[in-house]
Amino acid sequence: MYTIGITARYDLDKKNIILRETYRKWLKKDFRIKLIIPNDQREYNDILNTCDLLIINGGDDINPTYYHEKNYHSLLEDPIIEQLDLDLIDLFYKAHKPIIGICRGIQIINVYFKGSLIQEIKNYNTMIDHQKNQHHLVINKNTVLGKYFKENIVVNSFHHQCIKEIAPKFNISAISEDGFIEAIEKDNIIGVQWHPELMDDIHKTLFIKMIKALLINHYDKNSQLLQ
């Protein structure tokens, strides 16, 4: 059974580091789960060695200084959590291990790889409230995501920011009905703007299937290289 590392978050009172129960329930039947908490020394080699895949989950907004903008509409995440995400992306990417970004996760992946963000979607011409509604999106069939999901699907939406300029060498794998980027991917890195762990059972099962395929492809390929 593969082990998945999931980044920690603070609760609403900023007093406890937590893993949301929705993630545990979603993943527990198929994977071992390791909650990754911040380390003051920023040393995570033990996490890299014991986890086969990294999930970066949701949270507050990314500091716009990382993509060279002033803060206009961003409710900033705790700097310790932000540094945790960046350090782990760096480690797993350089080790060529799979990474999944969910909601804030897709945004921090895009920023790490030199992309930028829209700080407030409501400032753009759209009738959709991305903070609390479902909406349709179109999936690019010529992508990893497109192998598992229909071209047109409905997803949940809990965000007020999204990708503006996509990071170099990444592909867009889904776009919302009002034209915003909802999913990106490159090699074995996939980011989605919605929360698959809060979707229906069919969607959650398909997403698990995609994660397993990423893992199997990665570790089979590496084992062949060692032969």
Side-chain angles (χ1 to χ4, degrees):
M1 183 178 282
Y2 290 109
T3 300
I4 288 182
I6 306 180
T7 50
R9 293 294 182 256
Y10 284 114
D11 63 8
L12 292 176
D13 295 327
K14 304 292 184 182
K15 294 180 179 179
N16 300 293
I17 286 179
I18 62 169
L19 171 66
R20 292 189 180 94
E21 181 69 357
T22 50
Y23 281 98
R24 192 189 71 82
K25 286 183 176 179
W26 176 40
L27 299 167
K28 67 179 182 178
K29 292 181 180 178
D30 297 279
F31 307 104
R32 290 184 292 267
I33 302 169
K34 183 183 288 288
L35 176 64
I36 310 173
I37 62 175
N39 181 313
D40 289 340
Q41 285 73 45
R42 295 173 55 189
E43 287 290 338
Y44 299 105
N45 286 327
D46 58 329
I47 298 296
L48 181 67
N49 292 333
T50 56
C51 293
D52 304 299
L53 178 143
L54 171 67
I55 289 181
I56 305 172
N57 60 33
D60 289 329
D61 300 331
I62 296 156
N63 193 322
T65 58
Y66 284 110
Y67 49 97
H68 312 295
E69 289 188 11
K70 293 181 179 179
N71 186 351
Y72 299 109
H73 301 284
S74 297
L75 177 63
L76 301 185
E77 181 59 85
D78 188 289
I80 294 173
I81 296 294
E82 189 141 90
Q83 192 62 57
L84 170 72
D85 289 357
L86 292 167
D87 287 341
L88 290 169
I89 293 171
D90 191 67
L91 270 180
F92 276 73
Y93 172 63
K94 289 176 178 176
H96 308 290
K97 287 192 172 185
I99 302 172
I100 301 288
I102 294 174
C103 198
R104 183 187 196 275
I106 184 179
Q107 296 172 12
I108 195 73
I109 287 171
N110 190 60
V111 169
Y112 171 87
F113 287 100
K114 310 304 180 186
S116 64
L117 302 178
I118 291 171
Q119 291 192 51
E120 183 52 74
I121 294 173
K122 290 179 180 178
N123 290 345
Y124 287 69
N125 185 22
T126 178
M127 299 297 291
I128 297 174
D129 186 347
H130 284 260
Q131 286 188 270
K132 57 183 178 182
N133 286 335
Q134 292 185 328
H135 61 75
H136 290 81
L137 57 79
V138 177
I139 293 178
N140 182 347
K141 299 305 291 182
N142 299 315
T143 59
V144 174
L145 199 68
K147 294 179 182 179
Y148 298 92
F149 295 95
K150 296 183 296 183
E151 187 173 1
N152 292 280
I153 64 172
V154 176
V155 296
N156 53 41
S157 196
F158 302 103
H159 59 100
H160 75 107
Q161 299 190 340
C162 65
I163 290 173
K164 180 164 62 176
E165 295 177 355
I166 188 170
K169 299 184 179 179
F170 273 77
N171 295 314
I172 298 172
S173 42
I175 296 178
S176 66
E177 60 185 291
D178 53 347
F180 296 102
I181 296 172
E182 287 273 331
I184 61 172
E185 58 185 65
K186 180 176 86 76
D187 303 326
N188 59 0
I189 303 173
I190 296 175
V192 299
Q193 190 60 73
W194 64 94
H195 281 266
E197 80 282 5
L198 298 175
M199 294 287 290
D200 61 35
D201 288 342
I202 294 174
H203 189 101
K204 287 190 283 190
T205 299
L206 287 172
F207 212 97
I208 290 289
K209 187 176 180 181
M210 183 181 72
I211 291 174
K212 286 182 176 179
L214 280 177
L215 286 161
I216 291 168
N217 180 64
H218 172 72
Y219 289 100
D220 280 359
K221 187 183 294 183
N222 281 343
S223 64
Q224 291 171 10
L225 290 173
L226 293 174
Q227 291 176 2

